[in-house]
Amino acid sequence: QIRIAALNASSAVEDDPEGTLKSHKSQTKEAQEAEAFALYHQALDLQKHDLFDESAKAYHELLETRLLREAVASGDEREGLKHPGLMLKYSTYKNLAQLAAQRDDIETAMEFYLEAVLLDSTDVNLWYKIGHVALRLTRLPLARHAFEEGLACNPDHWPCLDNLITVLYTLSDYTTCLYFICKALEKDNCYSKGLVIKEKIFEEQPCLRRDSLRMFLKGDLPVCDLPVSASETQTILEEALELRRKRQALMARKTEPDLKLAQPISLFTWKSLGESLMATYLHLTTCEPPRPSLGKRIDLLEYQDLDQHLESQANSAPISVLHPSPVSSNPLVPLTEPLLMYTPLTPNFPSLTVLESVNSAGDASGADKSKKGLKRKKITEETGETAKRRSARVRNTKCKKEEKVDFQELLVKFLPSRLRKLDPEEEGPFNHYEIQSTAKEENSQPLGSHRMSLDLTVCMESEKQDVHKFLLANLSNGGILELMMRYLKVISQKFLVKWPPGLPEVVLDIYNNWRKHSSSLPNPLLRDCHNQHIREMMLMSLSCMELQLDQWLLAKGKSSMVSPRNGPSASSANGKFGPDFPGTHFLGDLLQLSFASSERDLFEASWLQFAVRVYWLKARFLALQGEMEQALENYDVCTEMLQHSAALEAVPDSDKRVVIRLPNLHVDSVVSLEEIDKNLKSLERCQSLEELQRLYEAGDYRAVVQLLRPTLCLNGDSRTEHLELAISIPERPAQLLLLQDSLLRLKDYQQCLECSEVALNEEEWVATVTQLLQGINHSLSADSSSSSLSEVSALPNLIRLSHNLIQIIDSSMVVQEEPKEPFVSSVLPWIILHRIIQHEEENVQPLCCQHEEQLQNPQEGDTPMLPPSLMLLNTAHEYLGRRSWCCNSDGALLKFYVRVLQKELLASTTEDTHPYKEELETALEQCFYCLYGFPSKKSKARYLEEHSTQQVELIWEDALFMFEYFKPKTLPEFDSYKTSTVSADLANLLKKMATIPTLSHYPSDFSCEL
């Protein structure tokens, strides 16, 4: 029985689990309600006994109970507050609001009233209380809403109606106010407030008397109003007007002072002014909220008196000024240096050459370098042959500060005599800077200092007065954006004058930031504003868009990582300049400029110049995007305009050509028929490059060579004229690399070396130079007999190649003061230069004769010295090691040096026959230490230097020679001398060799020996 009952009970529970759970929940809910109501009554009792703080605390505890926290309003007002938790929460909020109002905490009372009305919006008294508190807070819109909702709950609630009339009059909503006055007079035709305010409204707006007449007649109201005493009228109106005054006082904005420039104008130059405007804009757009309005006036009164302001800037730095040169139109000069120091000598390339980029961060300026030239030559003559023949090893390089080294002078000493002469006309592309420095030094002497000082003073004063005039004209302004726009409009008028360094970047930065806040440029076709404003805005946009395109073209040249397998594509520009290229407004602004170029009367005499610049801009931009056909069309338009203008202005017996110079651009800074013709030819070559790419991919390498070889300057033509054409070809690097790679695939190493040397002399982009060097090294390494160097077409080409390699090495070594990555990170120039010198030593003149001729020192005559080819590699290791660069390119230089030393050491049959065995072994051990960290730092020899390089992985091919070199001469025995035993470092090295992968490729005999 008991057992059966137990089973039945268990079964019953299992059969009805939901019922049991519901019962448990209902009990829990009832307990929660009981607890909540008990706490509520306790709070009420405390409130009745005026214990307000204790009562408020109890109410807050009640709100934290589970019943009230889980009580959520359904949103349907028809359901009401059926849930006990909602009823308690509603009452609690009302009581808390009442307590807060009693202690004059009006803000808190308003918060609790609003919480309560969110639970139940059908209580007219609650709406009235909200409206009453809102009046005390002078929140009249909220009071209006509360009284209107109260009347919606109960249209006969007179306090809401009475207060609503006062609020509506205060808010000047006279039409609605008259409506509710009409409702009030229907209930009480003697309602004095309604009568007084109605007449006051009619007095202020007489038209409303006629408009509201039908409404009052419909309500069956007396036509003649009952009289109201003057004192009562005054009291009623004063109440409403007092509310209006309070609201106006709250809405009145505090008078804030005008903004100041975030960066004061220290120098009265256009660049300084632009930097100040840009700094102010960045401050206003990035400062902590609340941020000032960009339309708030900028106070410029402190710059009103020029002389007084400049007194405080008397000891400021030298200033750069706009200087119209009588020859070109404009260099910029500093105050403390001769006028000619900033005169631009136009090079064959834009300012992106390897050496010019290096010099910008180098150790000395061009002027300092030219001044120190004679001194360096004297030092070289004094040191004489000792400097030429001493070993390149320097002890304790880590303990002393690295001296400034002229690598050109240092490396030329290693060249054989017949490779040292370089025809000035054949100088490489990396020598421009020295030529410019020399020209500046020579040309600066004939000019008189009095003449230069006079011209400089005039130019400085002119720019100072122009900037001051701009500031005076903009004392009254509409904020930073308007100042930026006016600045751009003024500076664009000076675009045909050479600007100071850095000013184009400042102007472009201002334009790009200003353009983000402007919806569009003025339409030149609609003429919806003054013609002068349209003309200035069009010229401003044209100048800034030319600067922007110039930056894109320079960036394209800098970052053009071309290869034979990556030909040009129409979408290549988008990848280089980001996904947003060409920006949000560039294409639309270009269209507006095209419209403006058709409005000849808008620009009058300057129309031709403007129109040609617009189509010149469009043509180059389309070419950058790969739209060659449209670019050709725009070039044709430029040609027609210039030819037509030349025909109209031609003078008999004279050749007058129209030339537009844009001196602030780095690329395509001259617009003329000749320049257009060059660009057209370059476009044709670019179009043919696609066909070349197809031939290359199809494997027709001979056709690629036949098409590209004639484009190289292989004959005696002027290199300058050839380079002017070559540099204008946007995809020239790809052409050169296609030619080189095709010759390598044809295994025509002699012609590959010849063409690569000419291409290296022509090309200056770092990425292309590195790849050309790879091809030259491949040609030399693949040709084991060195016939490529022997059959080179002309000795001047070999001389030029040697000096270009030295220039590249010098550029990469002096680019940075810090020991970081070099500008040209490849070590191939050292390796190729070694191959050339070694070829000369082996095939041109005997090694011993060359040493005896150059040494001429009786004290060192009996001491055999390293040949120049080995000294070059030793020097490379020394100076690269000082900057921790010797293991760059996965240790390519040191691995090559090891192979050279291995060949040199194995050339002798006995141990003591080699004349400089000790130096070779020292260099070899230094290479092993840098490459693989052997031996360890603790046990290394004292003559090994610490270069702090990243070690490379040891592979089997390199481990073979390393094992042969370090293994003991005889197999060590138990009682062998210490010098013949295997050291701990050697044992670790052997264990490391045993773990090298690809064990199946080990030689069987060597594996057994190991």
Side-chain angles (χ1 to χ4, degrees):
Q1 292 282 336
I2 297 174
R3 186 176 182 183
I4 294 174
L7 290 174
N8 289 341
S10 175
S11 174
V13 173
E14 291 179 359
D15 292 342
D16 190 18
E18 294 182 0
T20 304
L21 186 61
K22 288 180 180 179
S23 175
H24 178 69
K25 284 187 175 182
S26 62
Q27 293 174 0
T28 303
K29 184 177 179 181
E30 292 173 357
Q32 291 176 359
E33 291 179 4
E35 178 186 0
F37 275 104
L39 190 58
Y40 178 71
H41 289 300
Q42 178 185 355
L44 282 178
D45 291 339
L46 292 173
Q47 186 176 358
K48 290 178 181 177
H49 291 85
D50 297 334
L51 300 175
F52 300 130
D53 294 337
E54 292 80 357
S55 176
K57 182 178 180 181
Y59 281 129
H60 283 291
E61 291 178 3
L62 177 61
L63 291 176
E64 296 298 324
T65 59
R66 182 177 178 181
L67 179 67
L68 270 66
R69 281 190 287 107
E70 294 179 353
V72 180
S74 62
D76 189 356
E77 295 181 357
R78 293 175 297 179
E79 294 185 4
L81 300 178
K82 295 181 178 180
H83 192 281
L86 291 177
M87 295 173 56
L88 285 175
K89 184 183 289 189
Y90 174 74
S91 300
T92 300
Y93 279 133
K94 287 179 60 178
N95 292 334
L96 283 173
Q98 184 179 355
L99 289 174
Q102 289 177 353
R103 60 175 182 267
D104 290 333
D105 189 356
I106 309 302
E107 292 285 351
T108 305
M110 177 61 75
E111 293 178 4
F112 286 128
Y113 277 135
L114 293 179
E115 291 289 345
V117 83
L118 290 176
L119 299 175
D120 184 10
S121 60
T122 60
D123 188 353
V124 62
N125 292 320
L126 179 59
W127 282 117
Y128 172 73
K129 291 178 181 179
I130 292 175
H132 182 69
V133 173
L135 286 178
R136 295 180 63 183
L137 293 172
T138 323
R139 297 180 184 176
L140 299 188
L142 177 59
R144 171 182 179 173
H145 176 74
F147 292 137
E148 287 178 344
E149 290 295 324
L151 290 176
C153 296
N154 183 4
D156 296 328
H157 193 269
W158 186 260
C160 285
L161 183 60
D162 180 70
N163 283 278
L164 179 60
I165 292 174
T166 304
V167 171
L168 290 174
Y169 174 75
T170 304
L171 293 174
S172 301
D173 188 356
Y174 292 164
T175 304
T176 310
C177 185
L178 289 175
Y179 170 77
F180 282 103
I181 290 175
C182 181
K183 292 291 185 183
L185 291 177
E186 287 179 358
K187 303 179 186 301
D188 182 7
N189 57 3
C190 298
Y191 178 48
S192 58
K193 178 184 286 189
L195 297 174
V196 171
I197 293 181
K198 182 184 70 167
E199 292 300 322
K200 184 64 177 178
I201 291 175
F202 290 160
E203 179 183 344
E204 295 180 8
Q205 293 189 10
C207 60
L208 290 178
R209 184 186 297 273
R210 182 186 65 254
D211 297 338
S212 62
L213 180 61
R214 185 183 297 272
M215 179 177 62
F216 285 101
L217 292 177
K218 186 178 179 181
D220 196 18
L221 299 176
V223 179
C224 298
D225 296 332
L226 299 176
V228 182
S229 65
S231 59
E232 186 178 1
T233 301
Q234 182 66 24
T235 303
I236 294 173
L237 294 179
E238 186 62 28
E239 178 188 5
L241 294 177
E242 181 63 22
L243 276 177
R244 182 176 292 180
R245 284 191 292 269
K246 289 182 179 180
R247 184 168 184 265
Q248 290 175 351
L250 290 176
M251 295 181 62
R253 292 185 177 182
K254 297 180 180 179
T255 57
E256 298 179 356
D258 293 331
L259 300 176
K260 296 280 188 179
L261 291 176
Q263 177 180 322
I265 304 174
S266 57
L267 307 174
F268 274 74
T269 62
W270 291 112
K271 181 183 176 183
S272 179
L273 175 59
E275 291 173 347
S276 179
L277 294 178
M278 194 64 226
T280 305
Y281 169 81
L282 293 177
H283 171 71
L284 295 178
T285 53
T286 58
C287 64
E288 293 295 330
R291 294 171 181 166
S293 171
L294 296 180
K296 189 170 181 59
R297 177 179 175 270
I298 305 295
D299 184 12
L300 301 175
L301 290 176
E302 61 179 297
Y303 307 104
Q304 189 170 7
D305 191 341
L306 178 60
D307 296 332
Q308 182 180 357
H309 180 75
L310 290 179
E311 286 180 2
S312 60
Q313 304 293 336
N315 298 323
S316 60
I319 42 181
S320 300
V321 296
L322 294 171
H323 179 72
S325 170
V327 180
S328 60
S329 55
N330 51 348
L332 292 151
V333 293
L335 177 62
T336 59
E337 296 184 7
L339 184 63
L340 196 60
M341 291 301 293
Y342 277 81
T343 302
L345 296 176
T346 305
N348 293 330
F349 290 89
S351 60
L352 290 177
T353 64
V354 173
L355 194 58
E356 288 175 336
S357 298
V358 166
N359 193 64
S360 63
D363 56 335
S365 64
D368 293 338
K369 196 171 183 181
S370 62
K371 293 177 182 178
K372 295 179 181 178
L374 295 177
K375 185 177 180 181
R376 286 176 179 168
K377 292 181 180 179
K378 291 180 181 179
I379 295 175
T380 304
E381 292 172 1
E382 292 174 1
T383 54
E385 288 78 10
T386 304
K388 299 180 181 178
R389 286 294 150 240
R390 67 180 179 89
S391 174
R393 295 197 310 274
V394 178
R395 308 296 177 111
N396 299 325
T397 57
K398 183 174 63 174
C399 301
K400 62 180 181 179
K401 185 178 180 180
E402 182 180 350
E403 69 276 7
K404 297 295 192 318
V405 180
D406 189 340
F407 284 91
Q408 297 186 42
E409 293 184 6
L410 176 66
L411 298 181
V412 166
K413 301 172 188 176
F414 297 111
L415 294 179
S417 56
R418 77 177 196 132
L419 295 183
R420 297 186 184 181
K421 298 179 180 179
L422 183 63
D423 188 355
E425 296 181 358
E426 294 294 332
E427 287 187 340
F430 311 102
N431 290 333
H432 297 316
Y433 188 80
E434 287 293 340
I435 296 174
Q436 293 181 31
S437 300
T438 305
K440 292 174 185 178
E441 186 176 358
E442 293 175 354
N443 294 337
S444 62
Q445 296 176 359
L447 293 179
S449 59
H450 178 73
R451 169 73 178 276
M452 290 187 294
S453 301
L454 181 61
D455 294 343
L456 180 59
T457 303
V458 172
C459 297
M460 289 173 52
E461 189 64 29
S462 175
E463 183 179 13
K464 185 193 305 181
Q465 294 297 333
D466 289 344
V467 174
H468 185 236
K469 186 184 299 182
F470 172 83
L471 294 173
L472 289 179
N474 292 278
L475 292 177
S476 176
N477 57 78
I480 187 63
L481 291 179
E482 184 177 1
L483 277 179
M484 292 166 68
M485 182 191 69
R486 294 181 182 180
Y487 173 85
L488 292 172
K489 289 168 69 172
V490 172
I491 200 67
S492 62
Q493 304 290 333
K494 308 176 184 296
F495 190 72
L496 301 183
V497 177
K498 181 66 176 178
W499 290 351
L503 181 57
E505 290 77 10
V506 173
V507 171
L508 186 57
D509 199 15
I510 292 177
Y511 175 77
N512 288 333
N513 285 280
W514 169 83
R515 192 64 185 86
K516 293 186 297 187
H517 300 274
S518 178
S519 59
S520 63
L521 298 176
N523 194 318
L525 301 181
L526 297 179
R527 304 287 182 93
D528 50 357
C529 51
H530 199 275
N531 285 354
Q532 181 180 355
H533 175 67
I534 299 177
R535 180 167 59 250
E536 291 175 349
M537 293 294 289
M538 292 296 110
L539 186 59
M540 174 193 79
S541 299
L542 174 60
S543 302
C544 295
M545 291 168 69
E546 286 174 331
L547 291 175
Q548 181 65 76
L549 179 61
D550 193 58
Q551 277 197 358
W552 287 336
L553 293 175
L554 292 179
K556 180 186 178 185
K558 281 184 178 179
S559 61
S560 59
M561 298 297 293
V562 293
S563 66
R565 299 188 181 277
N566 295 330
S569 61
S571 62
S572 61
N574 293 21
K576 292 172 184 174
F577 310 124
D580 297 332
F581 173 83
T584 308
H585 305 287
F586 193 89
L587 294 177
D589 292 350
L590 194 59
L591 180 62
Q592 294 289 350
L593 291 177
S594 301
F595 291 155
S597 64
S598 63
E599 302 296 307
R600 190 162 190 166
D601 62 314
L602 186 63
F603 297 92
E604 299 174 350
S606 61
W607 169 80
L608 176 66
Q609 185 185 82
F610 176 84
V612 171
R613 286 174 60 186
V614 168
Y615 283 100
W616 180 251
L617 172 69
K618 288 180 60 178
R620 295 183 298 131
F621 175 71
L622 291 170
L624 178 66
Q625 286 192 309
E627 303 290 341
M628 300 303 176
E629 295 296 332
Q630 298 184 38
L632 288 173
E633 294 177 2
N634 285 275
Y635 277 128
D636 291 339
V637 175
C638 289
T639 303
E640 292 177 2
M641 288 182 176
L642 293 178
Q643 288 178 344
H644 181 68
S645 176
L648 292 178
E649 300 179 6
V651 180
D653 301 329
S654 67
D655 183 17
K656 186 173 182 180
R657 293 172 295 179
V658 179
V659 177
I660 301 175
R661 301 187 184 277
L662 307 172
N664 297 302
L665 302 183
H666 295 86
V667 184
D668 299 328
S669 59
V670 178
V671 187
S672 64
L673 293 175
E674 292 77 7
E675 293 297 325
I676 293 175
D677 186 59
K678 290 180 182 179
N679 283 23
L680 288 174
K681 290 180 180 179
S682 70
L683 283 182
E684 294 174 1
R685 292 176 184 266
C686 286
Q687 288 178 315
S688 66
L689 183 60
E690 298 180 2
E691 180 62 27
L692 288 172
Q693 188 74 22
R694 286 192 289 269
L695 291 174
Y696 175 86
E697 294 174 354
D700 194 354
Y701 304 120
R702 295 192 181 279
V704 175
V705 174
Q706 291 176 358
L707 289 173
L708 288 180
R709 184 176 169 83
T711 66
L712 294 176
C713 183
L714 296 173
N715 50 20
D717 297 340
S718 172
R719 177 179 179 275
T720 301
E721 295 179 0
H722 173 75
L723 287 180
E724 289 179 354
L725 176 61
I727 195 61
S728 63
I729 303 174
E731 303 298 341
R732 182 62 172 171
Q735 294 180 353
L736 298 177
L737 296 179
L738 280 176
L739 174 61
Q740 184 191 64
D741 199 65
S742 299
L743 289 171
L744 288 175
R745 292 179 181 273
L746 293 173
K747 297 184 178 181
D748 189 350
Y749 301 119
Q750 188 269 333
Q751 188 176 184
C752 178
L753 178 60
E754 183 179 356
C755 294
S756 298
E757 185 279 323
V758 177
L760 180 65
N761 190 60
E762 170 185 320
E763 190 57 40
E764 299 194 4
W765 308 123
V766 174
T768 313
V769 166
T770 304
Q771 296 181 64
L772 288 173
L773 291 173
Q774 293 174 358
I776 293 176
N777 186 58
H778 188 186
S779 301
L780 295 176
S781 59
D783 186 11
S784 58
S785 62
S786 299
S787 59
S788 299
L789 287 172
S790 302
E791 299 175 4
V792 72
S793 60
L795 178 61
N797 288 15
L798 195 59
I799 297 174
R800 184 173 62 185
L801 174 60
S802 303
H803 284 263
N804 280 341
L805 292 172
I806 292 176
Q807 291 285 344
I808 295 174
I809 292 172
D810 181 64
S811 303
S812 63
M813 294 299 292
V814 302
V815 63
Q816 293 174 344
E817 295 287 343
E818 299 290 334
K820 299 178 182 178
E821 283 294 322
F823 190 67
V824 181
S825 60
S826 174
V827 295
L828 289 176
W830 296 96
I831 298 176
I832 299 172
L833 189 60
H834 164 81
R835 294 183 187 276
I836 295 174
I837 297 175
Q838 186 181 35
H839 172 266
E840 291 290 311
E841 293 171 352
E842 296 175 352
N843 300 281
V844 178
Q845 61 187 99
L847 178 63
C848 297
C849 296
Q850 181 183 0
H851 277 249
E852 292 177 0
E853 292 174 2
Q854 296 180 357
L855 203 55
Q856 298 178 4
N857 192 334
Q859 297 180 359
E860 299 181 358
D862 298 334
T863 304
M865 303 299 296
L866 289 174
S869 58
L870 292 178
M871 290 183 65
L872 174 71
L873 294 180
N874 218 8
T875 302
H877 190 183
E878 175 191 350
Y879 286 104
L880 290 174
R882 292 183 183 183
R883 306 187 182 197
S884 301
W885 293 349
C886 56
C887 287
N888 281 7
S889 304
D890 196 26
L893 175 67
L894 297 190
K895 290 180 179 180
F896 175 78
Y897 195 10
V898 169
R899 291 193 294 270
V900 172
L901 294 173
Q902 178 185 3
K903 181 180 178 182
E904 191 73 25
L905 289 172
L906 294 177
S908 59
T909 57
T910 62
E911 295 182 6
D912 299 327
T913 55
H914 204 289
Y916 31 85
K917 179 172 181 262
E918 180 183 355
E919 295 192 357
L920 295 182
E921 290 179 346
T922 302
L924 181 61
E925 292 175 15
Q926 181 70 55
C927 291
F928 285 145
Y929 180 69
C930 291
L931 283 170
Y932 312 116
F934 180 84
S936 62
K937 293 183 180 181
K938 294 182 179 181
S939 59
K940 71 178 180 69
R942 296 186 63 181
Y943 54 78
L944 295 181
E945 298 293 334
E946 178 60 51
H947 291 163
S948 302
T949 58
Q950 182 70 32
Q951 297 177 9
V952 300
E953 182 182 4
L954 178 62
I955 60 176
W956 182 252
E957 291 76 6
D958 299 330
L960 290 176
F961 175 64
M962 196 172 179
F963 176 82
E964 291 291 344
Y965 181 79
F966 285 109
K967 74 176 183 179
K969 304 304 178 185
T970 59
L971 190 64
E973 298 180 0
F974 177 74
D975 55 350
S976 298
Y977 289 105
K978 183 177 180 181
T979 55
S980 300
T981 60
V982 176
S983 64
D985 284 340
L986 182 56
N988 292 331
L989 177 64
L990 297 178
K991 292 179 182 178
K992 183 178 180 180
M993 291 180 180
T995 61
I996 295 178
T998 65
L999 294 175
S1000 60
H1001 295 87
Y1002 289 176
S1004 58
D1005 55 345
F1006 190 83
S1007 178
C1008 295
E1009 184 180 356
L1010 181 59

